[in-house]
Every structure is written in structure tokens, then in C-alpha cells.
Amino acid sequence: MKWEDGRRSENVQDRRGQTARRGGMALGGGAIVMLLVGVLMGKSPGELMQMLVQQQQSGGGGQVTESHQPRSPEEDRLADFVSVVLADTEDTWNAIFRQKFGRDYEEPDLVLFTGAVESACGFTSAAVGPFYCPGDRQVYIDLAFFGELDRRFGAPGDFAQAYVVAHEVGHHLQTLLGISQQVHQQRRRVSEVEGNALSVRQELQADCFAGVWAHHADRTRHILEAGDVEEGMRAATAIGDDTIQRRSRGRVSPESWTHGSSEQRVRWFRTGLETGDMDRCNTFEAARL
């Protein structure tokens, strides 16, 4: 992916070097793995943190302390990279919002953190992966996740990482357009299984929005290189609910899906990538996901 010459976003908050603790205990490696699998299986950050507290047999609130560990050049390069990707999403969605809606795009902040973070959505472990908080309209990323994406999920590459950022920005679009609020209201009125189905449609739309960004970014700024699309598809495949369940449980339970199958995630990302049309991302009215 061609990114080094790209514009850097001014909407990045760098909170790296802060170590969040709950009940006086740092988030350990085993807990991180447990929570990472849990969130990809559809559990909420609150449920996952409760699991962690029970595992550690420790109560109390979250504490944030400063860490003086030096940052590696590789980590700083990743921070630079996500700043460029965020800036590119800003350029893309600003242009689309002005043309399609006749209004400005409200740019989200991206918060870089280490281990755990306090947001408007609560105290959240990095183990939940990158996430978007509608309460403060910010995207949160622990850069260590990209190593997990490579080593544990077999999805290396800079465009795979860019897809993750663009997917979370897709959730910001859903907030701006009132989609997230509608989904939240509907989920309160239906069963858990029906709520999961709504969540799947919401996540697949964010995948499609990520594809729309890539389409326009490549058309106007020529960011894609050979193999980049395949990297994005591998990432979408690796974090599909069926793939995660098969790896962690040995069986697949579609009624518990909250993000969609690997095939669905790839298809909707490809839909956005090939068409560049937000209107083609209406997963909520699609007869086939």
C-alpha cells in the first residue's frame, strides 16, 4: 500500500505509554487472549471485563499509570501509518459527504493506547481489539492488535491493517447517519438472536463502507499495490464469526454471530470496493447477506 507520502491526520490522540489496571492487577497475556477471542465471538466489552475480574478474583475500578518503556521504531512507524490512513478516510468521506449530502463530514478522533483505555463507553481492554465508541465518537486502537492480526489470525500486511481502521470509521459513519441509534433502539425490542442478526447487518455495512473508502482512495490517490486487495480479503476472512468459532470451539453457531461469516464479510467489503457506492451498502434491506 502506498502511504508514506500521504497526509498525516491532526485528529490522533496518542495515549501510548499509559498502563490501565483494574483492581490493581495488570492485564495479563492469558487474559488478553481470552478477551480477544471473546469479543470476536460477540461478547460486549462490559461482559469481557467482568470475565477478567472474575478470573483475577479482584474488584475495584480502573487505574491508569504512566509506563516509561521505550517505543520501538516499528511501533512508531505503525502510529505514523494509521495517522495516514485516518487522514485518507477524512479526505474520502469529506468529499463524499459534500457531494452526496451537501454537508461537512464530522471527522472522528483516533486514540492510540496501550493495554486498556477509559472512554465514554467505559473501561475497555485492548483485548477487545480496535473499537469505535459512539458516546465520544472516537476510534480506539492498541497497535499491538496488528501483531495479533498477523500472528494469530494469519492476516498480515498494511492494507489488512488499513481495512481494520476503515471498518471502525465505518461505524462512525453509521453514527453520523443515525443508523447506529436505530439499531440500538431496535435491539432493545427484540430477542437476543434477533439482536445478533441486527448486529451482523450493522457490522457488514461497516465492512462495505471500508470498501467504499478503498475504492475512492485508490481512484483519486492510487494507494493500492499488487496484493493489497488480497490482504484485505484475508483480514475479512480471518475475523469472520464462523472462522473464529471453528478455531476456538470446533463448531459453528450462526445464531450467536454478531459480525457475520467470513464469506459475508468478504462479499460486503468487495461490494464497497468494486462499486464505491454507499447506497450499495444497505445491508439492512438486503435479502441475502
Side-chain angles (χ1 to χ4, degrees):
M1 178 178 168
K2 300 175 184 177
W3 65 271
E4 288 86 350
D5 296 331
R7 180 178 70 85
R8 274 62 177 170
S9 174
E10 297 179 356
N11 296 316
V12 177
Q13 299 181 30
D14 194 344
R15 302 185 196 172
R16 292 178 296 161
Q18 297 180 347
T19 302
R21 297 168 180 265
R22 172 158 290 215
M25 300 181 68
L27 299 174
I32 292 293
V33 173
M34 176 190 72
L35 293 174
L36 180 61
V37 172
V39 74
L40 292 172
M41 297 302 293
K43 292 188 178 297
S44 70
E47 291 174 317
L48 294 169
M49 290 309 303
Q50 185 177 11
M51 291 165 56
L52 178 59
V53 172
Q54 290 173 346
Q55 183 194 56
Q56 294 181 333
Q57 295 183 339
S58 176
Q63 296 179 337
V64 178
T65 59
E66 292 291 335
S67 170
H68 300 288
Q69 293 183 350
R71 299 168 182 168
S72 68
E74 292 79 10
E75 183 183 344
D76 281 338
R77 181 174 172 81
L78 273 178
D80 191 36
F81 169 73
V82 297
S83 176
V84 172
V85 173
L86 181 65
D88 207 281
T89 65
E90 293 165 356
D91 294 341
T92 294
W93 292 115
N94 268 302
I96 291 176
F97 265 56
R98 284 193 295 267
Q99 180 180 11
K100 186 175 180 62
F101 304 113
R103 63 184 175 99
D104 291 335
Y105 167 67
E106 300 174 33
E107 299 172 355
D109 277 8
L110 185 149
V111 179
L112 301 178
F113 69 97
T114 303
V117 69
E118 191 76 39
S119 73
C121 294
F123 181 87
T124 307
S125 164
V128 306
F131 67 96
Y132 172 74
C133 177
D136 53 28
R137 299 191 174 188
Q138 295 182 157
V139 174
Y140 292 81
I141 296 179
D142 184 328
L143 296 174
F145 174 81
F146 293 135
E148 296 290 329
L149 189 65
D150 180 356
R151 293 186 299 271
R152 292 189 178 278
F153 298 100
D158 52 10
F159 190 69
Q161 297 162 356
Y163 153 74
V164 170
V165 176
H167 172 92
E168 298 306 329
V169 171
H171 287 309
H172 178 62
L173 297 173
Q174 291 172 327
T175 295
L176 296 181
L177 297 173
I179 296 169
S180 297
Q181 296 89 325
Q182 293 175 26
V183 171
H184 177 70
Q185 291 172 1
Q186 291 179 40
R187 290 194 66 176
R188 295 174 62 182
R189 298 193 296 264
V190 299
S191 68
E192 180 179 357
V193 171
E194 292 171 315
N196 288 343
L198 282 171
S199 178
V200 167
R201 291 181 183 270
Q202 185 176 9
E203 294 294 336
L204 294 178
Q205 185 180 59
D207 283 333
C208 188
F209 285 162
V212 171
W213 158 74
H215 172 96
H216 289 278
D218 189 51
R219 189 183 67 176
T220 58
R221 294 177 288 280
H222 311 291
I223 66 169
L224 295 181
E225 298 178 302
D228 280 346
V229 172
E230 289 75 15
E231 288 178 5
M233 299 304 173
R234 276 199 299 272
T237 298
I239 56 179
D241 283 330
D242 55 339
T243 300
I244 297 297
Q245 288 183 342
R246 195 174 291 111
R247 181 187 296 122
S248 62
R249 299 180 181 178
R251 59 185 176 84
V252 175
S253 304
E255 70 280 357
S256 67
W257 291 356
T258 57
H259 288 67
S261 70
S262 295
E263 188 271 337
Q264 290 170 334
R265 300 199 71 166
V266 167
R267 176 149 38 84
W268 282 100
F269 176 66
R270 188 185 295 276
T271 295
L273 179 64
E274 292 180 349
T275 68
D277 185 357
M278 287 185 71
D279 293 336
R280 296 288 297 273
C281 296
N282 189 352
T283 55
F284 295 95
E285 295 185 4
R288 174 176 176 258
L289 291 180

